[in-house]
Amino acid sequence: MTVVALKAADQPAGRPPAALRAYDVNAWFGSHQVLADVSLAFDPYHVTALIGPSGCGKSTFLRALNRMHELVRNAGLSGTIELDGVDIYRGGLAVMEVRRRIGMVFQKPNPFPTMSIFDNVLSGTQLSGQAVPDKQGLVEKSLQRAGLWGEVKDRLRSPGGSLSGGQQQRLCIARALAVQPEVLLMDEPCSALDPSSTRRIEETITEISSEVTVVIVTHNMQQAQRVSNRCAFFLADAGQPGHVVESGPTAKLFDDPEDQRTLDYVHGRFG
Amino acid sequence: MTVQHASPAPDTATRPHSGGPPPRSDRLRLRGWSRADVAELAGALLGSFALTWLVYEELTTLSGGLGFVVCWFFAFLVTYWAMARNRLGAGAAGDRLAAATVASVGLLLVVGLVAMLVYVVAKGYHALRPQFFTKDQYGVSPLAKPTAGGGLAAIVGSVEQVGLATVISLPLGIATAVFLTEVRGRIGRPVRLLTDAMSGIPSVLAGLFIFALLILSHVLPQSGFAVSLALTISMLPTITRTSEVVLRVVPGDLREASYALGGSEWRTVRRILLPTARNGLITAAILGVARVVGEAAPGIIDAGSSPKVNWNPFKGPQENLPLMIYEDIKSSVPADNIRAWTAALVLVFLVLVLFVAARAIARRRPGGTRRPVFRFLDRKGPS
């Protein structure tokens, strides 16, 4: 079985990547505001990187995009977030449907410890109640898209926790892709991994960007340059909520930014 | 323990294998007891014994075995500490003192438990015959030998009553624990408080409660099932609180992963939370069973003893093992007193078998074929 990079046209039954737009998003934890007036657009077939120093609200913003923010007690939010033109908070979509269509990969690999590799890939379809006619086929396709198939095809029944850290993270990507999301949010997916695993994940991101809209939070400037088409630079002044200083094509942000703070940050002069 | 050479320190200039791995004799013993440590321990034990003997038996008018051992123990601790301080310094001496104290307490506990087990086995084993598991006491003459008849009535009763109580309280307890950890509603606090208060209810009170509520009002006859309900009252708080602790330690990122995949709360509980906490939940069930299996009071109040085996837990008096022990030990018939010890031995044995079985179930590997119990609830479209 050779590993083939699937084109968007080869994807059966899956929806095309969706556009995600955020308007004037503010976020709070209790009375503490962490985000102020963030408006960003994420286009299909694009990888958007969210960069900025720690504590500037990137992850909070990312979690607001698929309604994970509200899982935190005392969390507050205002503004509008639209998935293909439908408001995900007010548009009548069930919260579970929103999260299924906007998948997420976390900082720390978190495969389900009680499940085999095979069951881990299928876990999302079971948890969201999707019927899967061809389980074997879906597992194979998802693992191929995550670039893990060749390494695990002979031990699909062994526990997900038996893999290395980088493999576990790609298993989590395969698990997220198996529910056919239209957008994939990645919260520093490589920060717990070694350089060669990081490279594999970056290749995977590039490959899947033809099928899902990708939004990635990263602290690694080189990674943002390697994988993203567009970039948004977040910043929070002391005691103030985080906001977007500048956003645009990655090349522009890195080579010719409009704001002096962006230039300083991407060249490692602060943060 | 100090680091020491197993052989005299080698001369580095003439060391034969400087390149390869060090030869065996050259290995440092990094852990374990050196000869000095052993000598010190033995010396402290012996010295403190002699000192205690002198003071306790010869110089003062004290007497009695227990007092001697206690005095010897404290004299030993002081001697041991002083010797360690002399050789290794104050810090290491403090370590030694703490280690000796903790080890002694642990040893005391093990000795106590083993002594109890040995006592039960020694008292109970001579009257234990295979027929203890197949016959009851019905029609056995008071003059018959202790081996006549058997404890089948009590064994059947114990298994059925505790089994029914487990069947009732395990789902209830786990559901309550899920409520406390996952739903976290406003009434979580009072529920937890109530559960804690319930765990303090003596089983005799639980038995009386069921008697007053259900038996006096003719809802239930005196029966094994009434005992089960009383046992449930004692069992529920143990299972709930243990399950809650176990569910709380399931990593939060697994819940998040499930929600991020579009999982509903119920499916997250059912497919992620409970399977991940499975071993702990089995422990909770074991602790619940252990809590009630030796309770005699509910049996006395809600069922009453019966020498004849009663397979039906819903009707008529039904014996159980603690009840049999209680009845037989206070009987004026010597053979009955011996049977009480046999029943005690069987009770201990039953608990042991249960624990081993539960551990075996808990040891299954992930990824095995497990049959979902609530499958019908999962077969719905995305909601």
Side-chain angles (χ1 to χ4, degrees):
Chain A
M1 194 97 32
T2 51
V3 179
V4 187
L6 294 166
K7 297 282 178 303
D10 298 335
Q11 191 187 353
R15 281 176 256 206
L20 192 62
R21 283 175 209 292
Y23 303 102
D24 300 324
V25 172
N26 292 270
W28 291 265
F29 289 114
S31 60
H32 176 59
Q33 188 172 5
V34 289
L35 272 182
D37 298 324
V38 176
S39 296
L40 283 173
F42 307 102
D43 295 324
Y45 308 105
H46 278 71
V47 176
T48 307
L50 310 182
I51 58 172
S54 296
C56 65
K58 306 181 300 291
S59 292
T60 305
F61 178 67
L62 197 75
R63 289 167 63 89
L65 291 178
N66 72 339
R67 301 193 62 171
M68 294 292 283
H69 175 61
E70 67 208 52
L71 290 178
V72 181
R73 223 194 287 209
N74 299 331
L77 193 77
S78 77
T80 308
I81 294 166
E82 289 179 0
L83 178 66
D84 268 345
V86 179
D87 189 329
I88 62 168
Y89 283 92
R90 305 178 192 89
L93 284 175
V95 59
M96 286 171 273
E97 177 69 2
V98 170
R99 294 191 189 132
R100 194 197 59 71
R101 290 175 63 185
I102 308 175
M104 193 164 203
V105 174
F106 297 85
Q107 185 171 359
K108 221 177 107 211
N110 52 4
F112 297 125
T114 55
M115 296 184 190
S116 64
I117 294 170
F118 189 88
D119 290 339
N120 257 293
V121 177
L122 287 176
S123 59
T125 62
Q126 290 187 329
L127 287 162
S128 62
Q130 285 175 290
V132 184
D134 178 17
K135 290 186 178 173
Q136 191 72 41
L138 179 64
V139 169
E140 181 176 338
K141 198 185 79 184
S142 304
L143 287 171
Q144 275 181 350
R145 289 166 76 189
L148 190 60
W149 174 252
E151 291 158 62
V152 301
K153 63 180 181 213
D154 298 324
R155 47 176 176 141
L156 292 173
R157 290 290 165 195
S158 45
S162 66
L163 300 173
S164 74
Q167 289 173 327
Q168 286 188 15
Q169 192 62 302
R170 277 180 282 149
L171 177 61
C172 291
I173 294 174
R175 180 177 71 182
L177 290 175
V179 294
Q180 320 270 357
E182 296 146 61
V183 179
L184 189 62
L185 311 176
M186 305 178 107
D187 190 358
E188 298 180 49
C190 303
S191 66
L193 305 181
D194 65 284
S196 75
S197 299
T198 301
R199 207 187 67 243
R200 291 298 308 272
I201 304 260
E202 288 175 6
E203 287 167 8
T204 303
I205 294 171
T206 307
E207 279 165 30
I208 62 176
S209 65
S210 61
E211 300 158 30
V212 290
T213 309
V214 178
V215 184
I216 177 172
V217 168
T218 179
H219 279 133
N220 183 329
M221 292 304 111
Q222 285 76 37
Q223 182 171 64
Q225 280 183 293
R226 282 193 297 261
V227 300
S228 72
N229 316 107
R230 295 178 65 83
C231 248
F233 172 52
F234 282 66
L235 194 61
D237 300 321
Q240 297 296 310
H243 61 282
V244 174
V245 171
E246 188 171 353
S247 69
T250 304
K252 172 133 184 2
L253 231 77
F254 275 83
D255 299 333
D256 181 25
E258 313 226 316
D259 197 295
Q260 181 62 34
R261 290 171 294 176
T262 314
L263 188 71
D264 288 347
Y265 183 74
V266 297
H267 289 103
R269 284 199 278 270
F270 81 89
Chain B
M1 306 312 112
T2 49
V3 172
Q4 68 141 37
H5 286 283
S7 66
D11 182 359
T12 34
T14 58
R15 181 180 291 185
H17 307 273
S18 52
R24 268 213 114 78
S25 62
D26 214 21
R27 285 266 184 93
L28 289 170
R29 268 177 55 190
L30 296 174
R31 298 184 62 83
W33 289 64
S34 71
R35 218 164 276 165
D37 294 329
V38 177
E40 219 168 65
L41 182 67
L45 277 169
L46 212 69
S48 56
F49 182 85
L51 181 72
T52 312
W53 181 269
L54 191 69
V55 175
Y56 198 88
E57 301 283 335
E58 305 295 331
L59 297 182
T60 62
T61 55
L62 297 167
S63 67
L66 185 66
F68 181 83
V69 170
V70 170
C71 291
W72 178 23
F73 176 67
F74 283 109
F76 159 73
L77 285 184
V78 172
T79 318
Y80 196 50
W81 176 78
M83 286 170 88
R85 190 186 154 90
N86 200 25
R87 185 163 69 100
L88 304 165
D95 270 3
R96 286 281 173 96
L97 185 66
T101 312
V102 172
S104 309
V105 171
L107 207 67
L108 188 73
L109 206 78
V110 171
V111 166
L113 274 174
V114 169
M116 204 172 72
L117 267 181
V118 166
Y119 192 67
V120 170
V121 172
K123 295 277 273 189
Y125 89 100
H126 10 238
L128 187 62
R129 300 285 181 277
Q131 73 169 34
F132 191 85
F133 298 93
T134 56
K135 290 204 169 138
D136 57 27
Q137 289 297 117
Y138 188 63
V140 174
S141 148
L143 299 173
K145 279 191 285 189
T147 50
L152 182 65
I155 293 169
V156 167
S158 265
V159 170
E160 285 187 354
Q161 287 163 15
V162 174
L164 277 171
T166 312
V167 167
I168 298 168
S169 40
L170 198 59
L172 278 178
I174 292 177
T176 313
V178 168
F179 168 74
L180 289 174
T181 54
E182 300 303 300
V183 184
R184 298 188 295 193
R186 193 164 293 168
I187 56 169
R189 242 175 126 76
V191 167
R192 190 172 294 124
L193 199 75
L194 216 69
T195 315
D196 281 346
M198 256 175 90
S199 64
I201 295 178
S203 63
V204 61
L205 217 68
L208 274 173
F209 172 69
I210 294 296
F211 187 78
L213 188 77
L214 300 176
I215 296 173
L216 284 183
S217 59
H218 299 289
V219 176
L220 273 181
Q222 279 201 317
S223 61
F225 183 63
V227 179
S228 300
L229 292 181
L231 295 183
T232 300
I233 294 173
S234 304
M235 208 170 177
L236 203 50
T238 309
I239 292 185
T240 305
R241 287 315 296 259
T242 316
S243 304
E244 192 200 341
V245 170
V246 165
L247 291 177
R248 218 170 267 290
V249 299
V250 172
D253 57 352
L254 295 183
R255 289 183 185 89
E256 292 222 316
S258 173
Y259 291 137
L261 288 164
S264 65
E265 284 189 63
W266 162 245
R267 292 198 189 98
T268 303
V269 167
R270 158 80 195 83
R271 296 200 170 268
I272 308 299
L273 198 67
L274 295 183
T276 308
R278 202 172 111 252
N279 290 1
L281 295 176
I282 290 171
T283 305
I286 293 176
L287 288 177
V289 168
R291 166 78 178 74
V292 300
V293 76
E295 294 292 355
I300 297 170
I301 298 166
D302 296 329
S305 64
S306 139
K308 194 169 164 35
V309 63
N310 175 9
W311 291 94
N312 183 0
F314 297 99
K315 212 179 146 207
Q318 192 183 41
E319 187 107 321
N320 63 30
L321 280 168
L323 187 51
M324 178 180 178
I325 296 168
Y326 170 74
E327 298 274 347
D328 280 355
I329 207 78
K330 75 181 172 91
S331 162
S332 52
V333 179
D336 278 347
N337 300 157
I338 293 170
R339 282 190 202 106
W341 287 105
T342 311
L345 178 61
V346 170
L347 182 60
V348 170
F349 180 70
L350 201 75
V351 173
L352 190 75
V353 167
L354 213 83
F355 280 26
V356 171
R359 282 278 142 242
I361 298 169
R363 214 177 292 123
R364 281 196 300 180
R365 307 269 307 151
T369 47
R370 240 174 291 114
R371 246 161 244 304
V373 185
F374 303 109
R375 178 168 270 174
F376 65 98
L377 281 171
D378 292 332
R379 286 280 168 263
K380 297 252 174 69
S383 46

PDB file of all heavy atoms in Angstrom, chain B residues 25-39:
ATOM      1  N   SER B  25      33.592  -6.968  40.699  1.00  0.00           N
ATOM      2  CA  SER B  25      34.033  -6.684  42.050  1.00  0.00           C
ATOM      3  C   SER B  25      34.179  -5.183  42.273  1.00  0.00           C
ATOM      4  O   SER B  25      34.276  -4.733  43.403  1.00  0.00           O
ATOM      5  CB  SER B  25      35.373  -7.381  42.300  1.00  0.00           C
ATOM      6  OG  SER B  25      36.317  -6.864  41.398  1.00  0.00           O
ATOM      7  N   ASP B  26      34.203  -4.431  41.172  1.00  0.00           N
ATOM      8  CA  ASP B  26      34.437  -3.007  41.259  1.00  0.00           C
ATOM      9  C   ASP B  26      33.141  -2.222  41.425  1.00  0.00           C
ATOM     10  O   ASP B  26      33.161  -1.033  41.702  1.00  0.00           O
ATOM     11  CB  ASP B  26      35.128  -2.561  39.964  1.00  0.00           C
ATOM     12  CG  ASP B  26      36.095  -1.442  40.269  1.00  0.00           C
ATOM     13  OD1 ASP B  26      36.485  -1.329  41.432  1.00  0.00           O
ATOM     14  OD2 ASP B  26      36.423  -0.695  39.353  1.00  0.00           O
ATOM     15  N   ARG B  27      32.015  -2.924  41.215  1.00  0.00           N
ATOM     16  CA  ARG B  27      30.718  -2.225  41.268  1.00  0.00           C
ATOM     17  C   ARG B  27      30.431  -1.684  42.655  1.00  0.00           C
ATOM     18  O   ARG B  27      30.633  -2.374  43.651  1.00  0.00           O
ATOM     19  CB  ARG B  27      29.596  -3.205  40.904  1.00  0.00           C
ATOM     20  CG  ARG B  27      29.503  -3.524  39.455  1.00  0.00           C
ATOM     21  CD  ARG B  27      28.496  -2.613  38.803  1.00  0.00           C
ATOM     22  NE  ARG B  27      28.332  -2.974  37.397  1.00  0.00           N
ATOM     23  CZ  ARG B  27      27.399  -3.808  36.972  1.00  0.00           C
ATOM     24  NH1 ARG B  27      26.586  -4.358  37.838  1.00  0.00           N
ATOM     25  NH2 ARG B  27      27.285  -4.071  35.686  1.00  0.00           N
ATOM     26  N   LEU B  28      29.930  -0.481  42.696  1.00  0.00           N
ATOM     27  CA  LEU B  28      29.514   0.079  43.974  1.00  0.00           C
ATOM     28  C   LEU B  28      28.163  -0.486  44.360  1.00  0.00           C
ATOM     29  O   LEU B  28      27.299  -0.658  43.507  1.00  0.00           O
ATOM     30  CB  LEU B  28      29.397   1.598  43.850  1.00  0.00           C
ATOM     31  CG  LEU B  28      30.697   2.346  43.730  1.00  0.00           C
ATOM     32  CD1 LEU B  28      30.440   3.784  43.366  1.00  0.00           C
ATOM     33  CD2 LEU B  28      31.465   2.255  45.033  1.00  0.00           C
ATOM     34  N   ARG B  29      28.024  -0.778  45.625  1.00  0.00           N
ATOM     35  CA  ARG B  29      26.679  -1.132  46.090  1.00  0.00           C
ATOM     36  C   ARG B  29      25.970   0.148  46.490  1.00  0.00           C
ATOM     37  O   ARG B  29      26.208   0.700  47.544  1.00  0.00           O
ATOM     38  CB  ARG B  29      26.764  -2.110  47.268  1.00  0.00           C
ATOM     39  CG  ARG B  29      26.714  -3.558  46.807  1.00  0.00           C
ATOM     40  CD  ARG B  29      26.878  -4.484  47.974  1.00  0.00           C
ATOM     41  NE  ARG B  29      25.891  -4.225  49.021  1.00  0.00           N
ATOM     42  CZ  ARG B  29      25.961  -4.780  50.232  1.00  0.00           C
ATOM     43  NH1 ARG B  29      26.956  -5.574  50.524  1.00  0.00           N
ATOM     44  NH2 ARG B  29      25.024  -4.529  51.115  1.00  0.00           N
ATOM     45  N   LEU B  30      25.105   0.625  45.594  1.00  0.00           N
ATOM     46  CA  LEU B  30      24.502   1.939  45.805  1.00  0.00           C
ATOM     47  C   LEU B  30      23.364   1.877  46.807  1.00  0.00           C
ATOM     48  O   LEU B  30      23.073   2.840  47.483  1.00  0.00           O
ATOM     49  CB  LEU B  30      23.994   2.489  44.468  1.00  0.00           C
ATOM     50  CG  LEU B  30      25.097   2.741  43.450  1.00  0.00           C
ATOM     51  CD1 LEU B  30      24.514   3.126  42.120  1.00  0.00           C
ATOM     52  CD2 LEU B  30      26.046   3.816  43.944  1.00  0.00           C
ATOM     53  N   ARG B  31      22.717   0.751  46.863  1.00  0.00           N
ATOM     54  CA  ARG B  31      21.592   0.629  47.793  1.00  0.00           C
ATOM     55  C   ARG B  31      21.817  -0.574  48.701  1.00  0.00           C
ATOM     56  O   ARG B  31      22.765  -1.324  48.525  1.00  0.00           O
ATOM     57  CB  ARG B  31      20.286   0.459  47.018  1.00  0.00           C
ATOM     58  CG  ARG B  31      19.971   1.643  46.133  1.00  0.00           C
ATOM     59  CD  ARG B  31      18.632   1.462  45.466  1.00  0.00           C
ATOM     60  NE  ARG B  31      17.546   1.372  46.431  1.00  0.00           N
ATOM     61  CZ  ARG B  31      16.965   2.428  46.982  1.00  0.00           C
ATOM     62  NH1 ARG B  31      17.364   3.637  46.668  1.00  0.00           N
ATOM     63  NH2 ARG B  31      15.986   2.294  47.836  1.00  0.00           N
ATOM     64  N   GLY B  32      20.944  -0.741  49.662  1.00  0.00           N
ATOM     65  CA  GLY B  32      21.041  -1.908  50.521  1.00  0.00           C
ATOM     66  C   GLY B  32      21.769  -1.576  51.811  1.00  0.00           C
ATOM     67  O   GLY B  32      22.216  -0.449  52.028  1.00  0.00           O
ATOM     68  N   TRP B  33      21.850  -2.579  52.646  1.00  0.00           N
ATOM     69  CA  TRP B  33      22.387  -2.362  53.983  1.00  0.00           C
ATOM     70  C   TRP B  33      23.854  -2.729  54.019  1.00  0.00           C
ATOM     71  O   TRP B  33      24.238  -3.813  53.579  1.00  0.00           O
ATOM     72  CB  TRP B  33      21.618  -3.228  54.978  1.00  0.00           C
ATOM     73  CG  TRP B  33      20.225  -2.746  55.217  1.00  0.00           C
ATOM     74  CD1 TRP B  33      19.230  -2.688  54.292  1.00  0.00           C
ATOM     75  CD2 TRP B  33      19.695  -2.248  56.421  1.00  0.00           C
ATOM     76  NE1 TRP B  33      18.110  -2.180  54.844  1.00  0.00           N
ATOM     77  CE2 TRP B  33      18.351  -1.904  56.172  1.00  0.00           C
ATOM     78  CE3 TRP B  33      20.210  -2.058  57.705  1.00  0.00           C
ATOM     79  CZ2 TRP B  33      17.526  -1.366  57.153  1.00  0.00           C
ATOM     80  CZ3 TRP B  33      19.379  -1.547  58.673  1.00  0.00           C
ATOM     81  CH2 TRP B  33      18.058  -1.194  58.405  1.00  0.00           C
ATOM     82  N   SER B  34      24.649  -1.830  54.580  1.00  0.00           N
ATOM     83  CA  SER B  34      26.048  -2.172  54.791  1.00  0.00           C
ATOM     84  C   SER B  34      26.151  -2.948  56.103  1.00  0.00           C
ATOM     85  O   SER B  34      25.204  -2.996  56.883  1.00  0.00           O
ATOM     86  CB  SER B  34      26.896  -0.906  54.859  1.00  0.00           C
ATOM     87  OG  SER B  34      26.615  -0.227  56.069  1.00  0.00           O
ATOM     88  N   ARG B  35      27.336  -3.519  56.310  1.00  0.00           N
ATOM     89  CA  ARG B  35      27.519  -4.317  57.525  1.00  0.00           C
ATOM     90  C   ARG B  35      27.366  -3.435  58.764  1.00  0.00           C
ATOM     91  O   ARG B  35      26.788  -3.834  59.770  1.00  0.00           O
ATOM     92  CB  ARG B  35      28.911  -4.964  57.487  1.00  0.00           C
ATOM     93  CG  ARG B  35      28.932  -6.373  58.045  1.00  0.00           C
ATOM     94  CD  ARG B  35      30.198  -7.089  57.643  1.00  0.00           C
ATOM     95  NE  ARG B  35      30.096  -7.679  56.318  1.00  0.00           N
ATOM     96  CZ  ARG B  35      31.141  -8.110  55.627  1.00  0.00           C
ATOM     97  NH1 ARG B  35      32.359  -7.987  56.103  1.00  0.00           N
ATOM     98  NH2 ARG B  35      30.974  -8.666  54.451  1.00  0.00           N
ATOM     99  N   ALA B  36      27.824  -2.202  58.641  1.00  0.00           N
ATOM    100  CA  ALA B  36      27.737  -1.275  59.782  1.00  0.00           C
ATOM    101  C   ALA B  36      26.276  -0.973  60.113  1.00  0.00           C
ATOM    102  O   ALA B  36      25.898  -0.882  61.287  1.00  0.00           O
ATOM    103  CB  ALA B  36      28.477   0.009  59.456  1.00  0.00           C
ATOM    104  N   ASP B  37      25.446  -0.834  59.062  1.00  0.00           N
ATOM    105  CA  ASP B  37      24.026  -0.542  59.287  1.00  0.00           C
ATOM    106  C   ASP B  37      23.365  -1.658  60.077  1.00  0.00           C
ATOM    107  O   ASP B  37      22.626  -1.415  61.033  1.00  0.00           O
ATOM    108  CB  ASP B  37      23.298  -0.386  57.947  1.00  0.00           C
ATOM    109  CG  ASP B  37      23.785   0.835  57.191  1.00  0.00           C
ATOM    110  OD1 ASP B  37      24.165   1.814  57.856  1.00  0.00           O
ATOM    111  OD2 ASP B  37      23.787   0.792  55.953  1.00  0.00           O
ATOM    112  N   VAL B  38      23.638  -2.900  59.619  1.00  0.00           N
ATOM    113  CA  VAL B  38      23.036  -4.059  60.285  1.00  0.00           C
ATOM    114  C   VAL B  38      23.504  -4.134  61.731  1.00  0.00           C
ATOM    115  O   VAL B  38      22.706  -4.346  62.654  1.00  0.00           O
ATOM    116  CB  VAL B  38      23.385  -5.364  59.524  1.00  0.00           C
ATOM    117  CG1 VAL B  38      22.818  -6.572  60.258  1.00  0.00           C
ATOM    118  CG2 VAL B  38      22.861  -5.298  58.096  1.00  0.00           C
ATOM    119  N   ALA B  39      24.805  -3.931  61.910  1.00  0.00           N
ATOM    120  CA  ALA B  39      25.371  -4.009  63.261  1.00  0.00           C
ATOM    121  C   ALA B  39      24.738  -2.963  64.160  1.00  0.00           C
ATOM    122  O   ALA B  39      24.406  -3.227  65.328  1.00  0.00           O
ATOM    123  CB  ALA B  39      26.887  -3.811  63.190  1.00  0.00           C
TER     124      ALA B  39
END
